[in-house]
């Protein structure tokens, strides 16, 4: 997005002219015409369109007066924009009124050209690289001593071009031509004659300092403890491997008990991907399940006698001292005592907090709790009483607003439930509203506490917005209908002026669990769009939407924590938790034909050529493709089928129509790509009846024509349907040699599951290598595995790097529901359509 803003600031730059490179000086006019006024110009040719270590650029220019020519390269990354990385100037005082050509070798920094290695530790991902040049006259503010910004302001001619960036995974390694021994000797000399000092360290770790919205799904926050640098602390930690002494203190706000047997709160996963000490879960009855790993290799678990309270902020303190566990719970900011329990064991617990990683919430092993995590303090080497623990709630106002939100929502949901129960019984909507008021007052323990304005407004909403309803309609569906009516108001001609009046209805829709409304409210409050700007309310509704697994809310939270903006703390692990929630759904969403989805495509809003091919079902591009496809053009048939199947180029998803074109092309044109695509839909039964026999026949036919996707497809067939892993591996190895990233991923899965032919055990290292190769080819699941390895650091070949782990965002951005939002923003149909959504590059 920074790249988009940078490009937006260059609207005034003139279009680039593509010319042949020349090294000759050419006179513009004959000598007799020197009285003619000459116009300065400058343009250039880049011989290599990609960013390279040294890029050769031919600059052609003409000066009508003594001038200074400036050439500059600026880049933008996720963190900063318009960073100059190369500058060059030269004078031209002699050759006036004459076209000149200068060859310039632009050198870019190694960190944006090469991959990470021993010397380049942190290569950067660059979103945009702009090469620009301009001319200034010497006597009009142009001089070598003038600052670059001032010099640019006096430009009489200027030009720019965009260079294509290379993703970090696709870059080459640098040949440093440096002896490592010299480097080590240099470091030794730097450290020589220094007085060694023990590093100042503490055993107290803040695992979480801000609220985390846990949606109850299989994603969460991953944390890892390093070894102590202080030798005394590290020695103490090692001594207590078989006698753990530590304390955990965390804040929780639970919305529901676990829907499965167990839900993750805080648990440790060791280097063998097994639960270890400590592991704390929530049960379906609301008890705490605490599990420990014993020195003798077995596991031991205990369940608390008490249940955790719902919809209240609770501080949970658990201390371990040898075989004794003390569990204490306190409610509210004033830490009112709730329950405590002491549990003693004779067994020795095994505890090594550096041989693995911690997870807060969900993971691929277990779903997380439904609710919110607050601050979490971990005392690695101390057992403390609750009075000694220092774990205050820093975001006190936000926590209070969250509590108030759910209290109000309980009231709204009760009103909606009573209303929906009354209308089907034959009563009119007016009678239903009266019934709501009477029953609510009768059932309330404190009638004075009931807000009649809330009841009146909600009844009004139900009356005006929902209309005739299905007797089986849920509270969530009612919330969806309220939202749709509210958005219809916003889509009107004066929609922007309707925001403040629609906000209460969006609040009630959010309370009914329809969290698209929560995302809208977050945007309104964070931006101050026709409502008073309120950062606190913006955070509240972002968290509520994220907890409700609303994809745009999760994207918003992931981005804010990745950048550390708008009062959200910079936290890559927290960012990963939100991004991975969407990213893990992306491959599943792509294979789901239902829902408002569209293929996510990279479109620059200033790229007219790309925008021209964005079409609709009645657009010229679509109609031309349909015409060519009808005439038997294989390329047109394939493109048309892909557009309809995935919802590409602004076309709505229509799998049934897509399959007709796949079938027509496969059976008539003999095109291998169309044959392969049709075979896949027949195998999976996507929009058509499954026909495995015909699908296999078509797949073999496409493979015989040399299509690497089909060779990979044969491997998939023998793996999924025949369980013949030897044949599957044979085809996948062949497809991988042909450059198929799916085959690389599939080979990784064989190694991960321990079923690769001839290798009886799991090999995560080889699996990681294949996943990495698949990720380099743009494979979604391969990228997700690499992201997981970087966040956990459990593989030696993937050193822990939370920033790299946020590569999950690239997968999240490909989510089809997100694509639908972008398509609606780019392709409005009829009248004024107003939509709030993220900007994607």
């Amino acid at each position: 997005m920074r790249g988009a803003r940078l490009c937006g600031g260059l609207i005034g730059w003139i279009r680039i002219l593509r010319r042949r490179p020349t090294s000759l000086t050419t006179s513009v006019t004959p000598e007799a015409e020197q009285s003619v006024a000459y116009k300065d110009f400058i343009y250039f040719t880049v011989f290599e369109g990609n960013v390279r270590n040294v890029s050769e650029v031919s600059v052609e220019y003409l000066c009508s007066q003594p001038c200074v020519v400036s050439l500059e390269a600026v880049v933008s990354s996720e963190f900063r924009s318009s960073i100059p990385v190369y500058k060059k100037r030269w004078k031209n005082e002699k050759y006036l009124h004459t076209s000149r050509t200068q060859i310039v070798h632009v050198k870019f920094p190694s960190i944006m050209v090469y991959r990470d290695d021993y010397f380049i530790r942190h290569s950067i991902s660059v979103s945009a690289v702009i090469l620009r040049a301009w001319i200034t006259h010497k006597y009009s503010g142009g001089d070598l001593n003038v600052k670059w910004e001032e010099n640019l302001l006096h430009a009489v001619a200027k030009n720019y071009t965009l260079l294509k960036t290379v993703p970090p995974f696709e870059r080459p390694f640098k040949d440093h031509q440096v002896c490592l021994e010299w480097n080590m000797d240099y470091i030794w000399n730097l450290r020589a004659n220094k007085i060694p000092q023990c590093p100042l360290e503490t055993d107290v770790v803040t695992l979480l300092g801000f609220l985390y919205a846990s949606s109850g799904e299989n994603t969460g926050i991953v944390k890892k403890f390093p070894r102590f640098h202080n030798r005394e602390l590290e020695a103490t930690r090692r001594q207590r491997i078989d006698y753990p002494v530590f304390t955990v203190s965390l804040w929780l706000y639970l919305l529901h008990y676990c829907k499965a047997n167990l839900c993750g709160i805080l648990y440790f996963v060791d280097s063998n991907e097994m639960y270890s000490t400590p592991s704390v879960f929530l049960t379906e009855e609301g008890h705490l399940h605490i599990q420990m790993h014993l020195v003798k290799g077995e596991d031991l678990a205990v369940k608390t006698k008490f249940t955790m309270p719902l919809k209240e902020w609770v501080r949970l303190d658990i201390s371990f001292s040898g075989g004794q566990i003390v569990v204490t719970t306190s409610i509210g900011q004033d830490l009112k005592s709730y329950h405590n329990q002491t549990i003693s064991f004779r067994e020795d617990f095994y505890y090594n907090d550096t041989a693995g990683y911690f997870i807060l919430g969900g993971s691929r092993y277990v779903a997380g709790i439904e609710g919110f995590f607050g601050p979490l303090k971990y005392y690695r080497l101390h057992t403390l009483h609750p009075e000694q623990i220092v774990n205050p709630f820093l975001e006190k106002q936000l926590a209070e607003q969250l509590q108030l939100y759910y209290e109000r929502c309980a009231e709204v949901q009760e009103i909606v439930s009573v209303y929906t129960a009354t209308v089907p019984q034959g009563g009119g909507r007016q009678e239903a509203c009266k019934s709501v008021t009477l029953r609510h007052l009768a059932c309330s323990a404190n009638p004075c506490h009931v807000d009649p304005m809330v009841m009146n407004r909600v009844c009004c909403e139900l009356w005006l917005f929902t209309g005739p309803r299905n007797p089986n309609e849920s509270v969530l569906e009612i919330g969806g209908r309220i939202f749709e009516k509210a958005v219809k108001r916003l889509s009107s001609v004066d929609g922007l002026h309707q925001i403040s009046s629609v906000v209460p209805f969006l609040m009630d829709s959010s309370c009914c669990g329809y969290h698209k409304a929560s995302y809208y409210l977050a945007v309104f409050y964070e931006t101050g769009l026709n409502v008073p700007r309120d950062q606190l309310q913006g955070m509240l509704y972002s968290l509520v939407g994220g907890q409700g697994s609303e994809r745009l809310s999760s994207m918003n939270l992931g981005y804010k924590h990745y950048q550390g903006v708008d009062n959200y703390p910079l936290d890559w692990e927290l960012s990963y938790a939100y991004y991975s929630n969407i990213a893990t759904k992306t491959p599943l969403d792509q294979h789901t034909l239902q829902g408002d989805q569209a293929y996510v495509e990279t479109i620059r809003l200033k790229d007219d050529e790309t925008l021209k091919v964005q079409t609709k079902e009645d657009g010229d591009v679509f109609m031309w493709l349909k015409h060519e496809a009808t005439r038997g053009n294989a390329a047109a048939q394939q493109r048309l089928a892909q557009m309809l199947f995935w919802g590409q180029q602004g076309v709505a998803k229509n799998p049934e129509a897509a399959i007709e074109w796949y079938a027509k092309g496969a059976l008539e044109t003999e095109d291998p790509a169309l044959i392969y695509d049709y075979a896949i839909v027949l195998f999976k039964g996507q929009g058509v009846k499954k026909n495995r026999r015909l699908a296999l026949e078509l797949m073999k036919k496409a493979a015989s024509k040399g299509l690497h996707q089909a060779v990979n497809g044969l491997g998939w067939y023998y793996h999924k349907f025949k369980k013949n892993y030897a044949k599957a591996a044979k085809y996948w190895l062949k497809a991988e040699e042909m450059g198929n990233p799916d085959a690389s991923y599939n080979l990784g899965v064989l190694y991960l599951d321990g079923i690769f032919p001839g290798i009886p055990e799991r090999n995560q290292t080889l699996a990681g290598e294949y996943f990495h190769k698949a990720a380099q080819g743009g494979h979604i699941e391969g990228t997700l595995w690499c992201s997981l390895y970087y966040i956990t650091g459990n593989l030696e070949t993937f050193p822990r790097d939370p920033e790299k782990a946020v590569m999950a965002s690239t997968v999240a951005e490909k989510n089809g529901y997100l694509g639908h939002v972008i398509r609606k923003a780019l392709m409005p149909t009829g009248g004024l359509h107003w939509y709030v959504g993220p900007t994607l590059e």
Side-chain angles (χ1 to χ4, degrees), residues 428-623:
R429 282 179 281 169
Q430 186 173 0
E431 288 75 12
C433 279
K434 290 179 180 177
S435 175
V436 168
T437 305
L438 292 173
R439 288 179 61 180
H440 196 88
L441 288 171
C443 296
S444 175
N446 180 9
C448 298
H449 180 68
V450 177
D451 186 350
M453 292 183 65
V454 173
M455 283 189 288
N456 290 338
R457 192 192 68 253
V458 175
C459 277
C460 179
E461 288 174 35
L462 295 169
W463 189 326
L464 295 176
F465 282 9
T466 61
R469 57 176 299 277
N470 183 338
N472 299 319
E473 200 167 23
S474 66
V475 173
L476 175 62
E477 290 169 328
I478 294 283
R481 294 178 70 181
I482 295 173
F483 173 79
E484 288 169 6
K485 295 291 184 180
V487 169
K488 190 173 181 180
R489 282 192 183 183
L490 294 174
S491 300
S492 63
V493 175
D494 62 340
L496 288 174
H497 301 289
Q498 296 275 349
I499 291 178
S500 57
S501 62
V502 167
V503 161
F505 303 130
L506 291 175
M507 288 180 173
D508 292 334
S509 176
S510 170
C511 278
C512 291
Y514 200 80
H515 290 298
K516 282 187 179 180
S518 304
Y519 175 69
Y520 270 51
L521 289 166
V523 173
F524 292 159
Y525 283 120
E526 286 186 353
T527 60
L529 191 61
N530 274 22
V531 296
R533 188 172 185 181
D534 191 330
Q535 191 68 40
L536 187 64
Q537 290 297 308
M539 283 184 174
L540 167 67
Y541 283 104
S542 284
L543 288 166
V544 167
Q547 195 287 318
S549 197
E550 210 290 313
R551 287 167 174 79
L552 291 172
S553 294
S554 297
M555 283 289 290
N556 180 45
L557 290 165
Y559 176 77
K560 295 290 178 65
H561 282 296
Y562 183 68
Q563 297 287 355
V565 295
D566 296 338
N567 294 324
Y568 288 82
L570 178 67
D571 190 329
W572 291 328
E573 289 136 328
L574 194 48
S575 175
Y576 168 83
Y578 288 120
Y579 275 134
S580 63
N581 180 273
I582 316 163
T584 53
K585 296 172 185 172
T586 297
L588 300 175
D589 288 342
Q590 285 187 349
H591 294 92
T592 302
L593 302 184
Q594 293 79 25
D596 293 331
Q597 295 193 68
Y599 190 83
V600 179
E601 300 166 272
T602 302
I603 298 171
R604 293 187 179 275
L605 298 182
K606 293 182 182 178
D607 190 339
D608 293 336
E609 294 302 318
T610 306
L611 287 175
K612 282 178 183 176
V613 299
Q614 299 302 305
T615 184
K616 293 179 290 185
E617 287 75 359
D618 58 352
D620 293 340
V621 174
F622 185 86
M623 298 303 292

Side-chain angles (χ1 to χ4, degrees), residues 13 187 218 310 774:
W13 292 83
I187 294 174
N218 292 85
L310 293 177

Side-chain angles (χ1 to χ4, degrees), residues 267-327:
Y267 45 101
F268 187 77
V269 178
D270 66 19
S271 55
N272 296 316
E273 299 294 322
M274 302 291 288
Y275 293 129
S276 191
T277 309
S279 293
V280 183
F281 304 93
L282 182 71
T283 71
E284 52 191 339
E285 299 88 13
H287 300 279
L288 292 176
H289 171 105
I290 305 174
Q291 183 169 311
M292 294 72 62
H293 187 63
L294 304 180
V295 171
K296 59 184 179 182
E298 299 173 357
D299 293 293
L300 183 66
V302 64
K303 187 168 68 174
T304 58
K305 296 177 181 178
F306 62 88
T307 58
M308 296 289 287
L310 293 177
K311 295 183 179 177
E312 289 192 86
W313 279 108
V314 181
R315 198 179 86 176
L316 172 63
D317 302 320
I318 306 176
S319 63
F320 284 72
S321 182
Q324 186 180 75
I325 304 172
V326 179
V327 185

Side-chain angles (χ1 to χ4, degrees), residues 784-805:
L784 287 176
W785 273 105
C786 290
S787 180
L788 178 67
Y789 290 146
Y790 277 125
I791 197 70
T792 62
N794 247 16
L795 275 184
E796 289 185 6
T797 48
F798 287 83
R800 178 169 157 82
D801 191 332
E803 186 180 8
K804 283 185 178 179

